[in-house]
Amino acid sequence: QSITTDMATLTKEVKKFATDKKLEIENLKVREEYRREFMGNVSHELKTPLFTVQGYISTLVDGVRDKDQRKKYLERAEKGVERLIYIVEDLDMISKLEMGDLNLEFSEFNIVELIQNVFDLLEMQADKKNIILMFDRKYNKPINVFADQEKIQQVLTNLIMNSIKYGKENGTTEVSIEDLVKNKIIVRVRDNGEGIEQQHIPRLFERFFRVDKSGARSEGGSGLGLSIVKHIIEGHNEKIYIESEYGKGSEFSFTLEKKK
Ligand code: ADP
């Protein structure tokens, strides 16, 4: 009888071992597929700015007589390199986030102050398009939240930067905060820019997705900003929403936990 019991235990163990191995292999396959697709996207994203920079440098090497023209080409090459840096930083971030390497560091901080800091950092970009960044004065009193401050700063930066990039000249970007139930607040970033067609909205948070328009491309994003935002917010177990009307503007909003 003991042999039968032993056999039964052994069979069970072998089965479990096989299932575990199968799962492990499935996991590796998924990772490998992810890696392959990611690498494909990465080289595609890097090629355009690299060729642009190469083009300007080659022209300069061949010799450009006019001093102003020379300066213009150098500046464009510099811009291309800046763009490459942004893309590489975003890639670094998204690969960490997608591998589940979020490493949130929770602390209490004043979200009002953080929004004002982000406004200060983006003021120059907004000025270039004469976009006014608005944040209602009534929120000047501190609102303390419990979250990863650096990551929430990144969320705000990406959303506000998008509202500037896809906003119209002389437009506005308006940030507001509202109380929700159960110690939650909702932060809204609203613009009156180009808006997004309904059919694109479901795919907006996918990495590398862009509404395919030459306009969006020339704005020089990586198509990673919103997927980074989604990962960060969902990593906090919070929610992100989007409302947009084509031609009228968009509103991105997310929830946060208020300090108890
Ligand atoms: P990108 O680097 O292209 O800006 P994002 O992931 O931040 O990448 O955004 C994805 C796409 O969503 C953008 O290319 C743009 O088409 C659209 N989008 C994002 N924010 C806005 C906005 N505020 N108004 C209109 N379109 C937007």
Side-chain angles (χ1 to χ4, degrees), residues 214-231:
S214 50
R217 291 249 155 205
S218 72
E219 287 296 344
S222 59
L224 292 172
L226 286 179
S227 57
I228 290 175
V229 163
K230 186 174 151 80
H231 273 291

Side-chain angles (χ1 to χ4, degrees), residues 161-202:
M161 194 61 218
N162 276 352
S163 77
I164 297 170
K165 281 199 294 193
Y166 307 107
K168 57 171 191 256
E169 299 262 339
N170 308 313
T172 53
T173 291
E174 198 180 338
V175 178
S176 63
I177 302 177
E178 252 174 70
D179 276 321
L180 280 182
V181 281
K182 283 200 288 184
N183 286 323
K184 295 267 184 205
I185 57 160
I186 184 159
V187 182
R188 300 178 199 276
V189 178
R190 189 209 311 261
D191 65 63
N192 57 1
E194 62 190 58
I196 302 152
E197 283 171 281
Q198 291 302 311
Q199 85 232 40
H200 297 307
I201 290 182

Side-chain angles (χ1 to χ4, degrees), residues 233-259:
I233 295 302
E234 290 183 350
H236 278 78
N237 281 325
E238 299 292 347
K239 294 233 174 340
I240 173 133
Y241 307 98
I242 163 165
E243 265 175 51
S244 189
E245 203 177 330
Y246 191 50
K248 292 221 165 133
S250 316
E251 182 182 282
F252 290 82
S253 53
F254 59 94
T255 58
L256 278 179
E257 191 182 309
K258 258 207 288 194
K259 189 205 121 207

Side-chain angles (χ1 to χ4, degrees), residues 1-252:
Q1 199 208 330
S2 99
I3 287 180
T4 341
T5 326
D6 284 354
M7 280 306 282
T9 321
L10 192 65
T11 317
K12 220 165 124 189
E13 266 171 26
V14 169
K15 267 191 188 154
K16 188 179 174 308
F17 181 76
T19 321
D20 284 354
K21 278 289 158 213
K22 210 173 148 202
L23 274 177
E24 218 173 278
I25 292 165
E26 283 305 315
N27 245 331
L28 283 173
K29 272 193 195 154
V30 169
R31 278 185 167 237
E32 178 55 24
E33 181 56 31
Y34 166 81
R35 201 190 60 83
R36 214 194 303 261
E37 192 198 318
F38 192 76
M39 290 310 288
N41 282 329
V42 168
S43 36
H44 179 79
E45 286 305 315
L46 293 178
K47 264 183 203 156
T48 316
L50 274 172
F51 284 140
T52 310
V53 173
Q54 188 199 34
Y56 286 119
I57 291 177
S58 300
T59 313
L60 284 161
V61 169
D62 289 344
V64 177
R65 280 171 191 276
D66 186 64
K67 209 175 139 206
D68 290 342
Q69 197 74 353
R70 237 181 0 245
K71 187 158 181 280
K72 200 164 93 188
Y73 286 177
L74 274 171
E75 280 167 358
R76 288 190 185 165
E78 187 186 34
K79 247 198 144 137
V81 173
E82 266 169 28
R83 191 174 159 200
L84 280 165
I85 293 172
Y86 282 131
I87 295 176
V88 170
E89 277 172 356
D90 277 357
L91 286 170
D92 196 39
M93 184 84 173
I94 199 79
S95 65
K96 280 188 185 143
L97 292 174
E98 292 200 349
M99 287 300 182
D101 193 4
L102 194 56
N103 270 332
L104 292 177
E105 287 179 29
F106 279 82
S107 69
E108 278 174 33
F109 61 91
N110 177 5
I111 184 91
V112 173
E113 201 181 308
L114 193 69
I115 291 168
Q116 269 149 0
N117 286 346
V118 174
F119 272 13
D120 289 345
L121 290 170
L122 296 180
E123 203 180 290
M124 237 169 60
Q125 329 265 31
D127 279 351
K128 278 189 207 154
K129 283 176 87 171
N130 211 13
I131 286 176
I132 302 173
L133 302 177
M134 299 197 301
F135 185 34
D136 206 315
R137 295 292 291 186
K138 77 178 171 223
Y139 296 117
N140 253 2
K141 65 176 194 311
I143 298 177
N144 291 320
V145 296
F146 189 65
D148 183 318
Q149 179 168 352
E150 219 174 275
K151 299 245 163 36
I152 298 301
Q153 171 155 357
Q154 167 118 47
V155 166
L156 286 164
T157 305
N158 289 4
L159 293 180
I160 296 171
M161 194 61 218
N162 276 352
S163 77
I164 297 170
K165 281 199 294 193
Y166 307 107
K168 57 171 191 256
E169 299 262 339
N170 308 313
T172 53
T173 291
E174 198 180 338
V175 178
S176 63
I177 302 177
E178 252 174 70
D179 276 321
L180 280 182
V181 281
K182 283 200 288 184
N183 286 323
K184 295 267 184 205
I185 57 160
I186 184 159
V187 182
R188 300 178 199 276
V189 178
R190 189 209 311 261
D191 65 63
N192 57 1
E194 62 190 58
I196 302 152
E197 283 171 281
Q198 291 302 311
Q199 85 232 40
H200 297 307
I201 290 182
R203 297 197 56 201
L204 223 54
F205 292 105
E206 270 173 37
R207 68 178 139 90
F208 300 112
F209 178 80
R210 278 186 193 126
V211 175
D212 207 3
K213 266 188 301 179
S214 50
R217 291 249 155 205
S218 72
E219 287 296 344
S222 59
L224 292 172
L226 286 179
S227 57
I228 290 175
V229 163
K230 186 174 151 80
H231 273 291
I232 294 177
I233 295 302
E234 290 183 350
H236 278 78
N237 281 325
E238 299 292 347
K239 294 233 174 340
I240 173 133
Y241 307 98
I242 163 165
E243 265 175 51
S244 189
E245 203 177 330
Y246 191 50
K248 292 221 165 133
S250 316
E251 182 182 282
F252 290 82

